Amino acid sequence: MPRTPRCPRAFRPSVPAALAIALAAGTVTVVTGPASAAPDGSQIVVSEVYGGGGNSGSVYSNDFVELYNPTSADVDVTGWRLEQRSANDGLGRAVTLSGVVPAGSHFLIAGKAGATPSAALPTPDQSADFDFGAKAAIAALFDASGAPVDLVGWGTAVRSETAPAPGTSNATSIQRDASGADTDNNATDFAPAAPTPEASSGSETPGDPGGPELPGETAVTPIAEIQGTGAASPLVDTTVTAEGVVTAVYDEGGKNGFFLQTAGSGKQAGAASDAIFVYMGSRTDYPQRGASVRVTGTVGEYYNQTQIAAAGVTELDAPLETPVALEIEALPAGGEAREPYEGMLVRPTGAYTVTDNYSLNTTGDLGLAPGPLAHRTPTDVVAPGAEAQALAAKNDAEVVYLDDGRTRNYFRTDKSTPLPYLLTSDQGVKAIRTGDAVDFQTDVVVDYSFDRWRFQPLEPITGKNTAAELPITWEDSRAASLDVPAGVAGDYSIGFFNVLNYFTSLGEEEAGCKAFTDMNGAPVGTDDCTVRGAYSKEALADQQAKIVTAINRLDTDVLGLSEIENTATVTGDVAKRDEALSSLVDALNAAAGEQRWAYVASPATLPGSEDVIRVAFIYNPATVTPVGESRIFDDGAYTGTARQPLAQAFEPTAGGDDFVAVVNHFKSKGSVALGDADTGDGQGNNANLRVAQAKALLTHLGEQSDWAQLPTFLVGDFNSYTREDSMAALEQGGFGIVHTEKDFDQASYQFGGELGSLDHVLANAAARGMVRDSAVWNINGDESAAFEYSRRNYNAHDFFGDGADPLYGYGNPFRSSDHDPVKVGFDLKKADNPGGTVTPGGSSGSSVSPLGILAALLAVIAGVVAAASSAFPGIAGALQGLLSRG
């Protein structure tokens, strides 16, 4: 499905070549291809259509459509839609595509066979049931978001690009020039000619999908010889015959094949694998698991996995010895070490931990890390540069994905099938979260597909399977997290929560705003609008229910918020700046049944330019009271790129010393600002800009002379992992990250199969002396996006929940955001045990003298002034009006 509005993900950049991703603070937008002409060769095109298949005088038995990729990168067309339409533009059959069109190559989709047999097509990449007109018709291609990609009308077609191409016959197809040129004129781009179907393998030699008559004494090639010892088979494009035992069958869900393994057991996977994937294409004569069969077909590489495209499958008269799964503690790291296991039946016996569940709600797979811990984002634990690069490479080499034996997308092309792993037919919904330990209860097959090493179940797995049929077991870790906030010690507490674009201004109220819709067509989230949150009142109610539960359970005295609507910027009415914030506080108090919360009002003087999202404070008026007016640190380092920090002093309602809190939201690692692109050191984009924002924060704090001696906390989404340069800049300015060791993971964010913290509470020396405890409350980053309000009813099962169950009922706190909240407990006096403070440099309980802080501040201020005057003259004006997202 198209990406719904969400906070941009901090990342080690790795964007698929097929997608152009525009990342911004509250939104991630998939940029679709052009709707018509692509004269620069930048888009997939329909290159040939044949409608005379199986008619009298036909060349081939089946209709077909051929796509062509003129680009230099593979393009994943999974979720794309091809429509067969009549010459009068009536919709006939439509097919949802699944697979990849290789760079500079083709993708063949076979349609219906006619009544008069003729030649067989080359083994197609996909089969469908369309039936084009032999003389005139229309073919329309759309991407996964529904945006038009290409249109071909020929003969008497009433719709085409500029003008229809000439008509065809039973012996001709309509086909584009071999270069794939697209001038947006079908009459110019296409001509009728003898059909030349070509699949992604490049083969134009007709096969026989129905199965040829095989010679009785066909020579059998051992599977290990077909696999070979390298990444690719030495027998590519060769027709072979292989024998073995069927270990896994995928006859539904799009994988369309089975695994075949050499008979017997005892051979350890070594120089070459004894197993191989057999691709069935449009064949329907699947063998049963455990059957002994002989397969004849052509050897090929698909996504770098060796396979045989079956032309014939015959069950042997005498059964072969059943292979036994290899017991492995973990799949070895790296492609070279894993290659000998490709296709093999294995049983993992060692510890594995879920490290990635982001695509579970779409493609049904889970990333697993060997050992008892999920993978950490490198710059969360080591310094940027060589150390981070080495850890990133290690993580990439170790991870393996547990798949579902299917290639369908549960939120796009297969919404009527319930998601695997999160749901079983006998136990209902059970979350599987990053950090969860899994144990294998069945054998699995080692697979390489879609650029990932995978464990495949022995049959397709969906939410219709029972728990006993799943390859793994795990404990539900949700319940253990509910009591974490209450366990944070301290007389007072401060926290932070990114509330995932909480807007009370709705998409349905904005002219021209589009929506992401659920499986029933109901609008849920906004799609590339000024308003970045819920589209409808119903969606806002869902979003708010989770946020309210989470904040009330977090139960802090002071709470910093980010990604809350700046209604002044949205509406143009400055008086409405606090409108969304006020609405949230009303909802919180209504749920609490008392006046539990109040909000810090905006100051009288506001920045001249602000984003449509902002930072804010709410607090408990029974325990603390704001001292004076709030202060916004308006600075050129933030204008047009990030949200200006908001500062507020508080005093205990019962009397006592004041303290200061500053809430922040630094520039993301997504879209590049001011040319500050990723350098490959692990920090992503805008690392220098975040350092400048950290230094600007310190400068402004240093200018608040009345706060100079007060305990001060910096809270926020700094879009910086613990060991990154911007956090080091804050440390050098006297602020260390507050962190208390717990017996559970405390990363606040998940991205790219790794966990790390972007959300922090930092304290100066005076505040560190009062800290007693802290915790990251893992209710969001570890969760599947299937539970988020913006994905409600995208699948056959409503994972959002109903009823009063605190774990799975309506308004439970889980996946209330994509960031976890943070809570710190402190006393307004020196604590007996002022530990638990760590800094980006990794020191623990560090102390900084007031003179040291002052010296560091003066140095930072001097550096900022010098840098600003030389490198950024007029920066505020230059940044004015830039998109402030991320």
Side-chain angles (χ1 to χ4, degrees), residues 4-29:
T4 52
R6 61 187 307 277
C7 176
R9 318 183 91 202
F11 67 111
R12 249 187 323 110
S14 176
V15 181
L19 297 177
I21 303 293
L23 292 158
T27 313
V28 178
T29 304

Side-chain angles (χ1 to χ4, degrees), residues 862-873:
V864 170
V865 171
S869 53
S870 62
F872 300 110

Side-chain angles (χ1 to χ4, degrees), residues 455-474:
F455 288 141
Q456 292 288 358
L458 306 185
E459 63 180 1
I461 298 292
T462 71
K464 298 176 183 178
N465 288 83
T466 66
E469 292 171 327
L470 304 185
I472 57 170
T473 62
W474 69 96

Side-chain angles (χ1 to χ4, degrees), residues 412-549:
R412 289 181 184 167
T413 61
D414 202 6
K415 298 179 180 182
S416 61
T417 301
L419 285 168
Y421 300 112
L422 292 177
L423 179 71
T424 59
S425 61
D426 55 341
Q427 294 184 354
V429 178
K430 184 173 79 169
I432 184 163
R433 294 149 44 98
T434 52
D436 285 349
V438 302
D439 293 310
F440 282 83
Q441 63 177 352
T442 72
D443 300 337
V444 288
V445 173
V446 178
D447 181 34
Y448 187 83
S449 57
F450 297 95
D451 299 321
R452 287 176 171 175
W453 285 97
R454 302 173 185 269
F455 288 141
Q456 292 288 358
L458 306 185
E459 63 180 1
I461 298 292
T462 71
K464 298 176 183 178
N465 288 83
T466 66
E469 292 171 327
L470 304 185
I472 57 170
T473 62
W474 69 96
E475 295 297 322
D476 192 332
S477 60
R478 269 189 172 183
S481 70
L482 282 182
D483 297 329
V484 166
V488 175
D491 293 339
Y492 296 88
S493 60
I494 187 170
F496 171 76
F497 192 16
N498 178 319
V499 292
L500 186 61
N501 291 311
Y502 176 83
F503 277 64
T504 54
S505 298
L506 302 175
E508 64 188 10
E509 299 165 351
E510 180 182 325
C513 179
K514 298 180 292 182
F516 294 112
T517 59
D518 66 15
M519 65 181 298
N520 301 314
V524 182
T526 56
D527 179 7
D528 195 23
C529 310
T530 299
V531 173
R532 299 182 188 175
Y535 186 89
S536 65
K537 293 181 178 66
E538 294 78 12
L540 174 60
D542 289 345
Q543 180 188 26
Q544 184 170 277
K546 281 183 172 288
I547 292 173
V548 164
T549 301

Side-chain angles (χ1 to χ4, degrees), residues 4 30 54 115 232 323 327 360 368 450 486 516 559 592 656 680 734:
T4 52
V30 176
E327 288 194 357
L360 177 58
L368 303 179
F450 297 95
F516 294 112
L559 183 64

Side-chain angles (χ1 to χ4, degrees), residues 289-305:
R289 186 151 49 96
S292 299
V293 300
R294 173 177 292 178
V295 174
T296 295
T298 303
V299 179
E301 295 286 332
Y302 186 69
Y303 276 98
N304 297 319
Q305 175 169 261

Side-chain angles (χ1 to χ4, degrees), residues 545-569:
K546 281 183 172 288
I547 292 173
V548 164
T549 301
I551 291 177
N552 277 337
R553 276 188 173 271
L554 188 63
D555 191 29
T556 57
D557 295 298
V558 175
L559 183 64
L561 304 175
S562 72
E563 291 200 18
I564 193 161
E565 177 188 356
N566 186 339
T567 316
T569 308

